[in-house]
Amino acid sequence: MVEQTAEDLVWTEARNKELLKRQRRVAGENIFAGRAIYDQRAIADLPVVRLSVAPEGEVVPQSFAVLEECQWNALPSKKLPMNITWQQSLPGTWDFSFPLSADARCMALGERFSGLDVRGAVHTLCTTDETKHTEFADSLYKAIPFLIVTEGSESYGIFLDSAAVQRWDLDAELDGTARIELFSRRGWQLYVIGPGKLSDVVNAYTQLTGRHSMPPMWSLGHQQCRWSYPDQKTVMDIAGEFRKRKIPCDTIVLDIDYMDEYRVFTASKERFPEFDTLAQKLDAQDFKIVTIVDPGVKRDPKYPLYKEAVAENLACKTPDGEDFTEEVWPGVCVFPDFEKSATRSWWGRWHEFYVKRGIAGIWNDMNEPAFFGLKRVLPEVLTEMPAYEDQPFTQETPEGTVGHLEVRNHYGMLMCRATHEGLNQLRPNTRAFVLTRSGYAGTQKYAAVWLGDNNSWWSHLRMSIPMIMNMGLSGIPFAGVDVGGFTGDCSAELLVRWYETGIFYPFFRNHCRMGDRPQEPWAYGEKVEKLIKRLIETRYRLLPYIYTLFWEHGQTGAPLMRPLSWHYPEDELAWECDDQFLMGRDILVAPIVEREKTRRTAYFPKGRWYPLEGGEPLEGGRVHLIKVPLGTVAAYVREGAILPLADVMQSTRNYATAPVTLTVYGAEARGTLIEDDGRSLEYGQGTYNELMFEYKNGALTSRYLHEGFAAPPRQFFLMAGSRRTPFLLRNSS
Ligand code: GLC
């Protein structure tokens, strides 16, 4: 299924050798002597058991993932659910195991290059700049030690809260056993959630680790990126093309070349001489700007950021106390130690540079952290956390100095936390938009994510579906992949098909690599442009529904893109589908993800499903052969739903006043709409409307479940069957 290069094969061989060596490792005796506290509480009505462990002389490290502590109660028996056993096998190695029955499925576990079921493989959790993305790829950019195990319609969640390197073997030996190796010399916490429904487990997990707040409305529009638009003229031209061609777009994203020799918090005077007013100019055309910010700080004695990092001791250190240096885009760099709260505040304050210039959002990249020289941070054969003095550098945690590998998996998340907090301080009451490549459990509190350097391959379009679903099940709803693929030349057909799926990615951005074929919607001629324009317009029409789904996420932790089994846990076939997904409860999407295909089979759960593009409904509870001509959307709406659909707009600047059509599917239907200002934090104080619509006996009624926002006037329409009639919003109760 996946294109493989000779280099990949050599690499795979090396990896297999490593695996063989690893398999010979036996757990040995339990040497644990320290403190282990078992306690419990209910979250989202599910039992949650917590085990907090600290080796002798150590404390349990502060968690950067879990929200404020609540009351936990002692667990009478020292037994973990799911028959989980654990022991310390070496001073730097912990072993866990639990049985997996033949029917158990494994999901979530963050960013895995895998189908929805991640069972049957070994998964290393060590944040990595993995550029290959073949099916042999192991660690990727994010490391999220949260797994959901489901049997029948019952699920458990297992969250091993440690930012140290971990290896999860999910029955790779086919002996019905899952084994986790945690390579750490420090303490950790393990949470076991459930049993319960899949949706309840995610609800509880996201209560524990936090949820994404309401995103700024503009960030849900189409974002256009390129490594790189080389100068301000090109940026203005790209923006102009969108408006001239009437292709909706909200954001132009600036990659590394806007900077002065890749120094973060600077702009190139040659290529962007008017960087100070660029955002203002684009704002006049209803565009926002997002700029990339990498963690590497150029080693340059004249560069204020570098001078401060050194003078104030804010960078990561080698074991002998020197500033650790490595090469990245700017050349030799130092790396902020985001474990330190002083570093986070300092980094946050520097964002004044962007805020003052009207930059709307920040894109944190290379924050695994990635290095050009030191490609492999792990020892070749990993059986134990190396001694701190044998690690490339150390970091200052709240508990003291540790080797980097103990906290590596936090690095990206703590960077985007610093960014998020900085933006909130500098622009209080404005929703921060941060995008990150690396992340750990709880990253959803600070950032949206994209899944890194994919290829312009059909297999990567296909994989984006289970991968984004697993991100959502791991608590991170605001996710997407580069539409069209980052590496390689995208074909016209692939780009159109990619947009057919991409308009449903919560984070929706077209991005591609330097030197590859340009991928803007108009880059392939008129016919393709027309198809893509219509698809992007569909995204904008769906915005009221998508925005309301973010609200739902805030209430229940539900991801936007979710597996069919989320709503149909009793339906065995629903569990099998991972090249289709639900967008919220009401839209089922079964896109074409193969070349030269215009038909595919798709499974529809019980009920009736109406094609979003119009036409006769399909009877659910069975597989259908559906026709999907190039440029059409393979989306179906659940009978009983009312979708709020906006009129097409060129950017979300016009969202608040765009007419909304309440589109009714079936003879009896219900729908919800959230309205607020789309940019401030005031919804948190009740400044929002929650509207409920009900269609019955040929009439639509509306009701405010919450009315706290004076919405600017907009027209509402009712669409039932093929008739669109004006609808007057009022409280019918
Ligand atoms: C990394 C990012 C990619 C970006 C490039 C240059 O490869 O993943 O999105 O374009 O760096 O900054």
Side-chain angles (χ1 to χ4, degrees):
M1 149 185 128
V2 164
E3 295 82 341
Q4 244 194 321
T5 61
E7 200 189 330
D8 287 334
L9 288 174
V10 173
W11 185 70
T12 308
E13 210 177 292
R15 188 169 133 62
N16 285 343
K17 271 193 211 143
E18 184 192 324
L19 280 181
L20 279 179
K21 282 190 210 155
R22 189 189 66 75
Q23 279 157 19
R24 285 201 285 273
R25 185 182 160 258
V26 271
E29 292 288 297
N30 184 8
I31 61 160
F32 177 69
R35 275 190 326 137
I37 298 169
Y38 291 76
D39 48 20
Q40 61 177 343
R41 59 177 272 226
I43 311 180
D45 289 334
L46 294 189
V48 180
V49 171
R50 178 177 73 171
L51 166 60
S52 311
V53 167
E56 205 126 71
E58 294 265 338
V59 292
V60 177
Q62 177 190 319
S63 170
F64 282 104
V66 170
L67 291 169
E68 281 298 283
E69 287 285 298
C70 305
Q71 189 57 46
W72 290 75
N73 306 308
L75 189 75
S77 80
K78 298 204 173 334
K79 238 181 106 204
L80 292 169
M82 300 180 73
N83 293 318
I84 300 178
T85 60
W86 66 278
Q87 68 170 51
Q88 186 175 17
S89 307
L90 296 165
T93 307
W94 306 81
D95 285 291
F96 303 74
S97 81
F98 52 95
L100 279 176
S101 77
D103 293 335
R105 295 163 192 282
C106 299
M107 295 182 293
L109 210 60
E111 186 181 29
R112 309 308 313 174
F113 196 72
S114 162
L116 190 60
D117 194 337
V118 296
R119 184 174 175 158
V122 180
H123 302 278
T124 309
L125 301 190
C126 174
T127 54
T128 301
D129 177 9
E130 169 53 71
T131 47
K132 290 205 177 66
H133 278 72
T134 67
E135 65 180 287
F136 308 101
D138 182 11
S139 290
L140 295 176
Y141 312 91
K142 301 162 196 76
I144 303 179
F146 172 63
L147 180 77
I148 299 175
V149 178
T150 300
E151 216 186 312
S153 51
E154 293 249 289
S155 298
Y156 278 97
I158 304 172
F159 171 37
L160 180 50
D161 191 7
S162 161
V165 177
Q166 307 184 16
R167 201 149 50 193
W168 292 56
D169 174 342
L170 300 176
D171 193 24
E173 305 293 312
L174 302 179
D175 61 357
T177 307
R179 296 181 180 83
I180 310 170
E181 294 159 286
L182 165 63
F183 302 104
S184 172
R185 293 169 186 273
R186 309 174 80 207
W188 43 267
Q189 288 184 305
L190 177 79
Y191 297 82
V192 187
I193 304 169
K197 279 186 0 210
L198 174 64
S199 50
D200 290 338
V201 169
V202 175
N203 184 336
Y205 171 72
T206 52
Q207 277 193 45
L208 204 59
T209 59
R211 295 188 178 139
H212 207 291
S213 48
M214 288 305 280
M217 181 63 77
W218 63 263
S219 67
L220 301 181
H222 183 237
Q223 303 202 15
Q224 181 64 49
C225 188
R226 169 91 212 206
W227 174 27
S228 289
Y229 293 127
D231 50 37
Q232 70 185 41
K233 177 174 180 313
T234 314
V235 171
M236 292 308 292
D237 288 350
I238 293 284
E241 288 297 323
F242 274 103
R243 293 295 177 253
K244 189 178 92 197
R245 296 165 190 269
K246 295 204 169 351
I247 301 174
C249 189
D250 265 77
T251 304
I252 308 286
V253 184
L254 300 188
D255 207 322
I256 46 176
D257 293 291
Y258 77 85
M259 290 180 256
D260 172 22
E261 296 181 329
Y262 307 133
R263 288 177 188 84
V264 289
F265 309 105
T266 71
S268 156
K269 291 212 167 48
E270 291 79 56
R271 281 169 289 110
F272 286 82
E274 288 152 38
F275 188 76
D276 291 0
T277 52
L278 184 63
Q280 217 179 318
K281 282 206 189 93
L282 282 172
D283 189 69
Q285 294 186 51
D286 299 342
F287 278 99
K288 301 279 186 205
I289 304 186
V290 167
T291 49
I292 197 169
V293 176
D294 291 349
V297 174
K298 189 175 175 66
R299 189 177 64 187
D300 166 2
K302 293 206 193 91
Y303 176 28
L305 190 72
Y306 172 76
K307 283 200 286 192
E308 287 181 18
V310 171
E312 293 167 37
N313 241 340
L314 301 170
C316 297
K317 304 271 184 201
T318 62
D320 28 318
E322 302 291 311
D323 284 321
F324 166 76
T325 57
E326 245 298 338
E327 279 197 38
V328 227
W329 303 117
V332 178
C333 287
V334 296
F335 296 84
D337 183 358
F338 291 111
E339 286 283 319
K340 293 167 78 161
S341 70
T343 309
R344 294 198 297 274
S345 325
W346 164 76
W347 189 260
R349 283 194 302 275
W350 266 92
H351 285 78
E352 195 184 355
F353 175 81
Y354 298 106
V355 168
K356 257 174 122 177
R357 291 163 177 83
I359 303 300
I362 300 293
W363 167 22
N364 285 163
D365 187 25
M366 305 291 277
N367 53 351
E368 293 71 32
F371 310 120
F372 289 171
L374 184 70
K375 287 255 184 268
R376 230 196 126 87
V377 290
L378 293 179
E380 199 165 318
V381 179
L382 181 63
T383 49
E384 189 177 11
M385 171 59 70
Y388 298 165
E389 55 279 12
D390 295 337
Q391 298 200 19
F393 59 96
T394 60
Q395 292 191 249
E396 287 301 316
T397 70
E399 295 79 29
T401 308
V402 302
H404 167 64
L405 293 175
E406 288 280 7
V407 288
R408 176 169 176 85
N409 291 342
H410 271 157
Y411 192 91
M413 177 172 88
L414 292 179
M415 178 187 185
C416 59
R417 172 173 164 181
T419 308
H420 182 99
E421 290 174 351
L423 292 176
N424 278 352
Q425 295 241 322
L426 291 159
R427 248 185 328 223
N429 205 24
T430 297
R431 297 178 196 175
F433 175 77
V434 182
L435 175 70
T436 184
R437 191 168 77 174
S438 188
Y440 177 71
T443 295
Q444 64 270 16
K445 296 189 285 279
Y446 314 114
V449 302
W450 98 109
L451 307 189
D453 296 349
N454 60 352
N455 292 280
S456 300
W457 293 346
W458 288 92
S459 56
H460 283 187
L461 165 58
R462 162 76 177 81
M463 289 306 271
S464 70
I465 298 170
M467 287 180 85
I468 296 175
M469 286 199 285
N470 272 333
M471 289 309 299
L473 295 177
S474 308
I476 301 187
F478 200 1
V481 306
D482 289 342
V483 171
F486 174 71
T487 306
D489 293 342
C490 187
S491 72
E493 184 195 1
L494 177 57
L495 188 63
V496 177
R497 289 298 189 199
W498 214 312
Y499 267 102
E500 289 170 21
T501 302
I503 58 169
F504 295 98
Y505 296 155
F507 173 68
F508 175 39
R509 182 182 76 163
N510 176 331
H511 178 38
C512 80
R513 190 181 65 164
M514 178 184 289
D516 292 332
R517 182 174 179 173
Q519 214 162 266
E520 289 80 22
W522 53 86
Y524 295 76
E526 238 172 78
K527 180 178 163 199
V528 170
E529 177 184 336
K530 231 169 113 190
L531 296 177
I532 294 178
K533 170 173 155 49
R534 197 173 147 269
L535 292 167
I536 299 177
E537 287 173 354
T538 306
R539 164 70 170 215
Y540 278 79
R541 296 189 60 224
L542 286 166
L543 279 179
Y545 178 69
I546 294 174
Y547 193 65
T548 302
L549 288 181
F550 267 101
W551 182 265
E552 184 197 4
H553 167 80
Q555 305 298 303
T556 66
L560 283 76
M561 254 176 91
R562 53 186 85 149
L564 274 56
S565 49
W566 184 274
H567 290 292
Y568 304 92
E570 310 295 339
D571 181 340
E572 279 191 43
L573 258 174
W575 288 96
E576 298 302 325
C577 304
D578 75 353
D579 63 348
Q580 347 174 175
F581 58 94
L582 289 171
M583 185 67 179
R585 174 187 273 278
D586 295 333
I587 302 184
L588 181 147
V589 188
I592 296 278
V593 291
E594 283 174 77
R595 194 159 64 93
E596 293 264 309
K597 270 210 161 191
T598 48
R599 302 190 310 166
R600 61 161 287 173
T601 51
Y603 177 66
F604 292 82
K606 66 174 187 258
R608 295 210 300 168
W609 297 87
Y610 289 77
L612 182 71
E613 306 245 29
E616 289 305 307
L618 299 177
E619 209 57 55
R622 50 171 286 214
V623 172
H624 286 272
L625 182 69
I626 57 170
K627 293 201 180 89
V628 193
L630 191 67
T632 56
V633 182
Y636 296 80
V637 187
R638 187 180 62 84
E639 176 171 54
I642 299 177
L643 287 192
L645 299 175
D647 279 10
V648 172
M649 60 201 94
Q650 293 307 300
S651 90
T652 59
R653 177 68 53 91
N654 304 314
Y655 176 84
T657 51
V660 166
T661 302
L662 303 159
T663 312
V664 173
Y665 297 88
E668 281 192 16
R670 278 159 168 255
T672 310
L673 176 67
I674 294 295
E675 290 187 318
D676 63 14
D677 64 16
R679 63 189 134 84
S680 80
L681 300 172
E682 280 155 32
Y683 68 92
Q685 278 81 55
T687 311
Y688 69 91
N689 298 331
E690 185 177 4
L691 275 153
M692 246 269 295
F693 301 100
E694 196 162 5
Y695 185 77
K696 227 179 175 170
N697 304 325
L700 182 72
T701 51
S702 60
R703 194 149 59 90
Y704 283 95
L705 295 186
H706 180 92
E707 189 175 4
F709 173 62
R714 73 155 114 212
Q715 280 178 294
F716 280 90
F717 291 93
L718 159 66
M719 178 101 169
S722 53
R723 258 167 59 87
R724 178 169 135 137
T725 49
F727 176 73
L728 222 50
L729 211 59
R730 63 173 164 258
N731 225 342
S732 58
S733 61

